[in-house]
Amino acid sequence: MTYCAALKMNNHLIFMSDTRTNAGVDNISKFRKMFTWSVPGERVITLMTAGNLATTQAVVSLLDERSKAPEERDPTILQAPTLFQVARLIADTLNEVVNERAEEGQDAEAAFRATLIMGGQIEGMEPRLFLIYPEGNFIEASSETPFFQIGETKYGRPIILRAFDPDMTVEQALRLLCVSFDSTLRANLSVGMPLDVHVYEADSLDEGAQFRIDEANPAFSVISKGWGDALKLALEGLPEFTVPSR
Amino acid sequence: MTYCAALKMNNHLIFMSDTRTNAGVDNISKFRKMFTWSVPGERVITLMTAGNLATTQAVVSLLDERSKAPEERDPTILQAPTLFQVARLIADTLNEVVNERAEEGQDAEAAFRATLIMGGQIEGMEPRLFLIYPEGNFIEASSETPFFQIGETKYGRPIILRAFDPDMTVEQALRLLCVSFDSTLRANLSVGMPLDVHVYEADSLDEGAQFRIDEANPAFSVISKGWGDALKLALEGLPEFTVPSR
């Protein structure tokens, strides 16, 4: 499985993804699930992937190859005029990969499914964030739903629902994502460290900060440990629930 | 969907279940998912159900009918000598119901699946707690895993993982369950109020406290509201995560 989350803030897009892939619990590997393409000063596009690894790797490879040899396929994600068109291109590529496998006699189409999050900015336009479904359709984040999650989303969802605010600072948002990922890492073996992070600053049109959080990261460890203690304290601060008298 | 959780404490078993059932989002109903049978002074058995409603209702009806007309089926859950045998009887009844439907040409066996939690005590023996799988096999709670969840388990799992301790008081455990259910209720429309609660006191061999928590319950409301605020405070109390310098 996988856990990826993206937040659309007032002045930033923040992406975080884990790196564990598994085919059964005895076949665990580490793969990057976050990919960024950019034309400095013109566009930045970040993609996160969940689902069948062969599918997502093929999608990323095709997008990458085509962006380097644009004569083969026009426009590429580095040329499409809007992020909506970029989302459409990525969705079409996803469909192409899944259908190719399905045509080759592997009728278990469900097994090849993947879900993607794509966000970024093109010069002269607003930053945008999309969730691309396995079926190839997609939705865009709005002020009502300013974040997306894919993969093993449930463990880490309540805290984002409760605490996310697009007005947060980057440091606060990263702290929130660390807590959301920590809850997921603890509950589900199929989500694992290290975590990839990308912080895109609106209107910078530059890839910006990209870094990895591993088991030894002191800031993550402090948040993880602190969160456990803080949760217990928070719980203890609530009134106890008394059994109603009969 | 459904959310049920049961905690095995040092001196109590605590059960909590929601009451929402749905076949699609436009077909929502309210059904009890917690059932208790007892022979005062001799045994108490509580069952919680998740999965196909027709299956779980049939299982409960069969268990109930047979306990009232034991000549039909011997032993019944009110006669079986141990809770292990009770778990086996319930699992067999579950298999019987599912296979009956499957034989009648409804080959979508998966659609009729159900998962159950059963706990209680028989005179002279320890209180025990079991999780019965759709396949009809089952596991028992131990000191390493002193709680079970069924249905929509993920949203409410991190807080139980972090905070549950079998040494808690009943009031603390109920508070913890309220928080776990609150996280689930907020995240998933298919889990809904009111909540049924059963607190069984070890060695009482009496049904004990059974009550319902509805939307208007002031104690639950205070915990729900307080938890949102406490979570935000807990988060704010953690160090922020600074983007590493490149």
Side-chain angles (χ1 to χ4, degrees):
Chain A
M1 204 74 183
T2 288
Y3 179 37
C4 303
L7 309 179
K8 185 164 183 259
M9 328 243 322
N10 289 341
N11 290 308
H12 293 85
L13 295 174
I14 303 190
F15 304 86
M16 195 178 283
S17 61
D18 85 316
T19 50
R20 183 163 293 174
T21 66
N22 67 304
V25 287
D26 55 351
N27 187 359
I28 289 180
S29 313
K30 207 186 284 179
F31 283 96
R32 195 172 172 82
K33 300 169 190 174
M34 184 190 292
F35 306 89
T36 301
W37 292 267
S38 68
V39 179
E42 200 271 328
R43 73 178 61 200
V44 174
I45 298 165
T46 288
L47 183 70
M48 294 194 294
T49 64
N52 181 280
L53 182 64
T55 297
T56 59
Q57 286 196 342
V59 168
V60 171
S61 295
L62 283 173
L63 292 172
D64 203 45
E65 279 180 17
R66 287 168 184 171
S67 71
K68 287 172 185 156
E71 58 279 7
E72 281 186 18
R73 191 69 60 114
D74 191 27
T76 72
I77 55 169
L78 294 187
Q79 298 167 321
T82 65
L83 277 177
F84 178 84
Q85 297 293 344
V86 171
R88 198 132 90 174
L89 271 172
I90 295 174
D92 288 349
T93 309
L94 175 60
N95 267 348
E96 181 188 332
V97 170
V98 173
N99 291 337
E100 205 168 70
R101 292 278 79 68
E103 278 167 19
E104 285 171 11
Q106 310 244 26
D107 58 353
E109 198 203 318
F112 301 116
R113 291 161 71 91
T115 311
L116 313 173
I117 289 175
M118 185 276 288
Q121 187 176 21
I122 293 179
E123 195 185 1
M125 287 173 271
E126 290 295 305
R128 297 171 78 174
L129 185 64
F130 294 88
L131 175 68
I132 302 171
Y133 291 107
E135 291 77 9
N137 51 358
F138 50 86
I139 58 173
E140 181 172 0
S142 65
S143 56
E144 286 92 15
T145 305
F147 69 93
F148 286 135
Q149 302 170 285
I150 55 177
E152 192 59 80
T153 60
K154 295 182 180 181
Y155 303 108
R157 189 173 180 84
I159 187 64
I160 299 184
L161 278 179
R162 289 274 198 183
F164 178 55
D165 177 350
D167 293 327
M168 281 179 160
T169 64
V170 168
E171 289 72 22
Q172 289 168 339
L174 287 172
R175 177 176 64 187
L176 173 62
L177 284 175
C178 285
V179 166
S180 175
F181 272 75
D182 184 58
S183 297
T184 311
L185 290 164
R186 278 172 186 273
N188 195 307
L189 278 184
S190 73
V191 177
M193 289 274 215
L195 310 176
D196 286 311
V197 186
H198 180 199
V199 179
Y200 173 75
E201 186 184 347
D203 301 329
S204 68
L205 297 169
D206 176 87
E207 291 197 10
Q210 290 174 296
F211 56 95
R212 190 161 258 205
I213 299 173
D214 61 18
E215 286 87 347
N217 186 293
F220 187 91
S221 302
V222 168
I223 290 174
S224 168
K225 172 72 174 64
W227 182 241
D229 297 341
L231 268 189
K232 280 180 212 159
L233 276 178
L235 198 63
E236 281 163 19
L238 295 180
E240 299 184 354
F241 190 102
T242 310
V243 177
S245 48
R246 279 191 267 186
Chain B
M1 206 72 185
T2 287
Y3 178 37
C4 303
L7 308 178
K8 185 164 183 258
M9 329 243 321
N10 289 342
N11 290 308
H12 293 86
L13 294 175
I14 303 189
F15 303 86
M16 194 179 284
S17 60
D18 85 316
T19 50
R20 184 164 293 175
T21 66
N22 67 304
V25 288
D26 56 349
N27 188 359
I28 289 180
S29 312
K30 208 185 284 180
F31 283 97
R32 196 172 172 81
K33 301 169 190 174
M34 184 190 291
F35 306 88
T36 301
W37 292 267
S38 67
V39 180
E42 198 271 327
R43 72 179 61 201
V44 175
I45 298 166
T46 289
L47 182 70
M48 296 194 292
T49 64
N52 182 280
L53 182 64
T55 297
T56 59
Q57 286 196 342
V59 168
V60 170
S61 295
L62 284 173
L63 292 173
D64 204 44
E65 279 181 16
R66 287 168 184 171
S67 71
K68 287 170 185 156
E71 58 280 5
E72 282 185 19
R73 190 70 58 115
D74 191 25
T76 73
I77 55 170
L78 295 187
Q79 298 167 320
T82 65
L83 278 177
F84 178 84
Q85 298 293 344
V86 171
R88 196 133 93 175
L89 271 173
I90 295 174
D92 288 348
T93 310
L94 175 60
N95 267 347
E96 179 187 333
V97 170
V98 172
N99 291 337
E100 207 167 70
R101 292 278 79 69
E103 278 166 20
E104 284 170 11
Q106 310 244 25
D107 58 352
E109 197 202 316
F112 300 117
R113 290 161 70 92
T115 310
L116 313 172
I117 289 174
M118 184 276 288
Q121 186 174 21
I122 294 179
E123 194 185 3
M125 287 173 270
E126 291 294 303
R128 297 171 78 175
L129 185 64
F130 295 87
L131 175 69
I132 301 171
Y133 292 107
E135 291 77 9
N137 51 358
F138 50 85
I139 59 174
E140 181 172 1
S142 65
S143 56
E144 286 92 14
T145 304
F147 69 93
F148 285 134
Q149 303 169 285
I150 55 176
E152 192 60 80
T153 60
K154 295 183 179 182
Y155 303 108
R157 189 172 180 84
I159 187 62
I160 299 183
L161 278 180
R162 289 274 198 183
F164 179 55
D165 177 349
D167 292 328
M168 280 178 159
T169 65
V170 168
E171 289 73 22
Q172 290 168 339
L174 286 172
R175 175 176 66 186
L176 173 62
L177 284 174
C178 285
V179 166
S180 175
F181 272 75
D182 184 58
S183 297
T184 311
L185 290 164
R186 279 174 185 271
N188 196 307
L189 279 184
S190 73
V191 177
M193 289 275 216
L195 310 177
D196 285 312
V197 186
H198 180 199
V199 178
Y200 172 74
E201 187 184 346
D203 302 329
S204 70
L205 297 169
D206 177 87
E207 292 197 9
Q210 289 174 297
F211 56 96
R212 189 162 258 204
I213 299 174
D214 61 19
E215 286 86 346
N217 186 293
F220 187 90
S221 303
V222 167
I223 290 173
S224 169
K225 172 73 174 62
W227 182 240
D229 299 340
L231 268 190
K232 280 181 212 158
L233 276 178
L235 198 63
E236 281 162 20
L238 294 180
E240 299 185 354
F241 190 102
T242 310
V243 176
S245 49
R246 278 192 267 186

